[in-house]
Structures are given as C-alpha cells and as structure tokens.
Amino acid sequence: MKGNLLYLIAFALIVIFVAEMIGFQMLPIGGFTIGLLPLVFAIIITMVLGLKIFRKGFWKKVYSEGNINFSSKYLIFIMLPLMARYGADVAPHIREILSIGWVFIIQELGNLGTVLIGLPIAIMLGLRREAIGATLGIGREGELAYISEKYTLESKEGRGVLSIYIIGTLFGAIFFSVFAPILMDLGIQVEALAMASGVGSGSMMSAASATLVATVPDMESTILAYASASQLLTSFLGTFTMVFLAAPLQQFMYKLMVRGEE
Amino acid sequence: MATGMNKYVKYGLVLLLSIGLILFTQEIKLLKNPESTPVTAMTLYGLVTLWAFSMIGIFVSDLMQHVRVKFIRDFPILGWVSLTSLVFCLASDFFVQAVSAVDFLSITTPILTFAGISVANRLVDLRKTSWKIAIVAIFVFTGTYVGSALLAQLGLFLAGN
C-alpha cells in the first residue's frame, strides 16, 4: 500500500511534467478560439491511462484500488491550498467587491439557467422525471443530497441527478475551460465571466477561471478575486437558491410542459 | 496510509504532498517558460502559508460540526479554508504577498491530475447514463454559466463598470 502510493506520486510528477511541457495551447476553431490548459491535458492523460484495458502489469500498481481510493478520498484536501489561495485573491479587492456586491448576488440567480434552458431541452428529448434530477442544478453534492432526500437515488429523478453528477465529474472541468473563452469572443466582459465561474464546484470553477487567466493574464488578480468571491457566495446561497427558487420554478415549468400527458 | 495515524497528521501529510506538487509544477513551468512566476523565498513562505491556512480551515470546519445550525454544519470545508485565508489576508498584507508569489496556474495542474485518477473507476458508470442526459448536461452547464454571465454583465453595465 505504502509502496504503491510512491508509484502514484511518481506518476503524478510525470503527468504534470508532460502536461506543463505541452503548455497552454490556443486552438482557433471556426471564428472562435478555445484555450487548452495544462490542467486539461493532465485530466485527459490520467483519465485515458486509467481505462480498465490499460490496467495491467505495471499500470496496475499505479492505478491500484488503494491509489484510486486515495485520490478520490483526499482530492478535496489536495484542493485546499487552492481554496486558501482564493482568500488571498479576494482580500486586496474586498472594497471593490463589496461596492458591487449586489451584482454578485444578482448573478447567483443565473444558476436558474439550468432549469430555464436545460428543462425544455430535456422534455423535448423525451425525458420526464429524470429531467427533474438532471436540470435542478449542475448535479453537485447539494443537488444530490436534495434529490436523494426527496425522491431517493433509486428513483428516476435520482437517476437523472446521478447521471449529471457523473458527467460533471468526468467532463465538467474540461467543458468550462474550453467554453469560457468562447463567451469572451461573443463579447461578454471578462469580469462578468469571472463572476459566472463560481458555479459551485471547486474543480469546474478553477478550470473556468484558469482559462480566463491564461487568456487575459493582465487581469489575473481581478479574475481570481471575482471568481472566488462568487464561488464563496454560491457555497453560502446555493442551497437557498436551489430550494426556494430553482425547485419551485422547475415544478411550475414541468407541469406546464407535460400538461395533459399523464 | 497507516491506520491509526491521527487524522490531522494524515491531512497534514496530504497537504504537504499538495504544496510539494505545486512547487514542482511551478519549477517545470519555469523550465518551459523562463518568463513565468519565479520561485523565490517568498514562494516558499507562500506555500507554507497555504498549508497553514488549509490546516486551520480544517480545524475550523471540524469545530463548526458542533454548531446547532444545519446551514453552518453543511458549509463545505473548501469554503472554511477560503474564509480563514480571507480573514488572515485582510489582517496582514504579508500573507497576500507571500501567496501571490505562488503561481496560480501551477496550483491547478496537480489538482486536476488527481481528479483524473480519482474518476478511473467511474468511467464505466457512463454506460448507465444515456446520450439524452449527456445532451441535457451540455445545456445545463451552459445554462448556469451563461445565465450568470449575462446577469453579471447587465449588473456591471448598470453599475457603470
């Protein structure tokens, strides 16, 4: 077990080395530019090498059950220094952030976009009760807890939220890091995108703000300050937005859209 | 890890691994691009500061488990660490300077490396989801991000920024 952990650390060092050597890549696709950060390469390399078909011989020592469990159990602790860094980013900007505090609060309501945009699409695709679980939010721990308490995770609603949770865990960070610069191309201010990065998941928020930093390095301190302030606010207000706004709105829209079906 | 080891010692070691990887990443970044954030004595102070704030945040989070208000008990440990750090950084500018000497992007690569490894066993779960939910997922993620970005843009416009 101890020995295998050394394999894991050595493997992590190699992955980081390779990912950093590839470096930040800007890819123009059509009229847009997407940015690929070392963190995207790191997650892709580790995910692909972790596929069951590769897990033989030596790889089995790297991707041992113990090591995979270690990574998922302690991921949150590995993430803590990042969260500590965010405090230092917010501090110098605290006055500015408080002076436009209401903008931060207003943009929290944007999280209702999961219901407003996601639910009609889900209904159109023929999903019904799964759609409740799948569109309540981005399927992080808060929504998982709420749905499992209300419907249980074995229900259709539960399957919906679990699916979003899985997809988000696997692809959320990649999605946000690629998506953020596209909106910048569409003319949205980088400050607004930084605020929007506080979606409630640590790794997704880091990915979204990291691409913004890589794209506009001069604004690094503002981007990180806004993103972390918004993330903190989401951790405070997220549950309230979900229970008192997203859930009732979702019920209302759901009944309207599936009227006469049942 | 050895069982029976005090959990705080365990957390401390994992955090040590985390800041060690950050330092490694920042060195590699310098190797690739000598113009990037240099590793100085301040960087080392910064890493120690991040380690200390994380530990304090963990203690605070554990203490808060005794509070009767559910909302406070449920507040994530990640949030407590950010708040701890915010309080110290407001109190002294030294912390801000030390932490700023740690390159931000160098913090993110190690985390996503471990995130990738941690999901190794969950890739098979993808089979349990359908392509329909995958499409919905794209709109759900887009929805929250674009929704917030548009409202923020409107707010900033009204605020005159």
Side-chain angles (χ1 to χ4, degrees):
Chain A
M1 170 87 203
K2 270 259 143 96
N4 277 348
L5 194 59
L6 287 180
Y7 284 117
L8 177 71
I9 295 172
F11 175 65
L13 292 176
I14 295 169
V15 171
I16 292 170
F17 181 80
V18 173
E20 289 295 340
M21 279 300 158
I22 302 174
F24 180 54
Q25 304 285 339
M26 299 271 258
L27 286 184
I29 293 182
F32 299 105
T33 309
I34 61 166
L36 296 177
L37 286 166
L39 66 89
V40 173
F41 300 120
I43 197 169
I44 291 176
I45 295 171
T46 47
M47 268 167 59
V48 170
L49 292 179
L51 289 175
K52 282 249 158 68
I53 44 164
F54 290 120
R55 259 187 262 170
K56 290 180 193 113
F58 177 71
W59 274 146
K60 232 178 156 170
K61 290 188 176 162
V62 175
Y63 283 94
S64 66
E65 287 306 309
N67 281 346
I68 294 172
N69 286 341
F70 175 86
S71 308
S72 51
K73 189 173 168 201
Y74 291 108
L75 178 62
I76 199 159
F77 293 96
I78 290 174
M79 222 186 255
L80 290 182
L82 174 68
M83 297 300 138
R85 153 97 206 202
Y86 285 133
D89 289 313
V90 173
H93 290 268
I94 192 83
R95 280 168 200 283
E96 173 189 339
I97 286 171
L98 291 178
S99 76
I100 51 167
W102 63 274
V103 181
F104 280 86
I105 292 175
I106 294 285
Q107 63 84 33
E108 279 296 310
L109 297 177
N111 295 343
L112 297 176
T114 58
V115 178
L116 289 173
I117 300 178
L119 190 61
I121 302 277
I123 302 284
M124 247 161 34
L125 286 170
L127 296 173
R128 290 297 177 263
R129 283 171 51 205
E130 294 95 325
I132 299 277
T135 65
L136 183 60
I138 58 168
R140 297 336 291 163
E141 284 71 10
E143 286 97 42
L144 262 183
Y146 179 79
I147 293 282
S148 70
E149 208 178 311
K150 202 166 166 190
Y151 305 96
T152 77
L153 286 181
E154 284 73 41
S155 65
K156 287 190 170 171
E157 289 85 351
R159 226 179 308 147
V161 75
L162 269 179
S163 300
I164 291 289
Y165 178 78
I166 293 164
I167 295 171
T169 308
L170 295 174
F171 304 110
I174 299 178
F175 176 82
F176 280 109
S177 83
V178 171
F179 191 58
I182 294 182
L183 288 180
M184 209 156 23
D185 281 348
L186 287 175
I188 297 185
Q189 250 174 289
V190 65
E191 290 92 336
L193 291 175
M195 280 187 204
S197 309
V199 289
S201 143
S203 58
M204 295 186 209
M205 176 276 223
S206 321
S209 54
T211 5
L212 293 176
V213 168
T215 321
V216 197
D218 294 346
M219 305 263 301
E220 172 170 333
S221 84
T222 310
I223 293 170
L224 296 180
Y226 282 22
S228 22
S230 150
Q231 177 79 1
L232 262 182
L233 199 64
T234 305
S235 358
F236 271 123
L237 295 180
T239 319
F240 295 103
T241 324
M242 173 179 74
V243 175
F244 296 112
L245 297 172
L249 174 72
Q250 191 185 41
Q251 289 301 330
F252 173 76
M253 283 176 61
Y254 185 78
K255 283 188 187 126
L256 205 70
M257 282 187 284
V258 301
R259 208 170 24 178
E261 270 184 26
E262 283 168 27
Chain B
M1 293 215 151
T3 44
M5 203 194 283
N6 181 303
K7 69 172 180 173
Y8 294 111
V9 175
K10 231 186 247 184
Y11 297 156
L13 287 174
V14 173
L15 286 172
L16 204 60
L17 170 68
S18 179
I19 60 168
L21 290 173
I22 297 170
L23 182 63
F24 174 77
T25 312
Q26 193 164 335
E27 292 279 10
I28 301 292
K29 255 201 199 333
L30 275 171
L31 213 63
K32 158 107 180 156
N33 173 17
E35 307 277 289
S36 58
T37 320
V39 174
T40 61
M42 249 345 210
T43 312
L44 299 181
Y45 295 143
L47 288 168
V48 172
T49 307
L50 292 177
W51 185 90
F53 288 171
S54 303
M55 280 311 273
I56 298 171
I58 293 172
F59 286 127
V60 173
S61 168
D62 279 357
L63 280 180
M64 292 301 165
Q65 294 314 308
H66 302 294
V67 175
R68 280 173 184 277
V69 188
K70 184 170 184 295
F71 160 66
I72 291 184
R73 280 202 309 269
D74 286 348
F75 192 63
I77 191 166
L78 302 170
W80 288 120
V81 171
S82 291
L83 283 181
T84 304
S85 161
L86 180 60
V87 170
F88 279 99
C89 288
L90 285 174
S92 163
D93 197 45
F94 171 78
F95 294 125
V96 177
Q97 280 170 15
V99 171
S100 305
V102 180
D103 178 57
F104 169 71
L105 290 174
S106 300
I107 306 181
T108 58
T109 315
I111 293 175
L112 273 295
T113 303
F114 278 89
I117 299 169
S118 74
V119 297
N121 283 344
R122 302 223 206 117
L123 279 169
V124 284
D125 292 344
L126 266 188
R127 287 201 212 114
K128 289 184 210 148
T129 72
S130 68
W131 60 271
K132 285 182 182 172
I133 299 241
I135 294 177
V136 172
I138 296 174
F139 285 96
V140 164
F141 290 126
T142 309
T144 183
Y145 193 64
V146 173
S148 295
L150 287 178
L151 287 174
Q153 177 79 53
L154 181 71
L156 287 173
F157 172 74
L158 293 175
N161 283 21

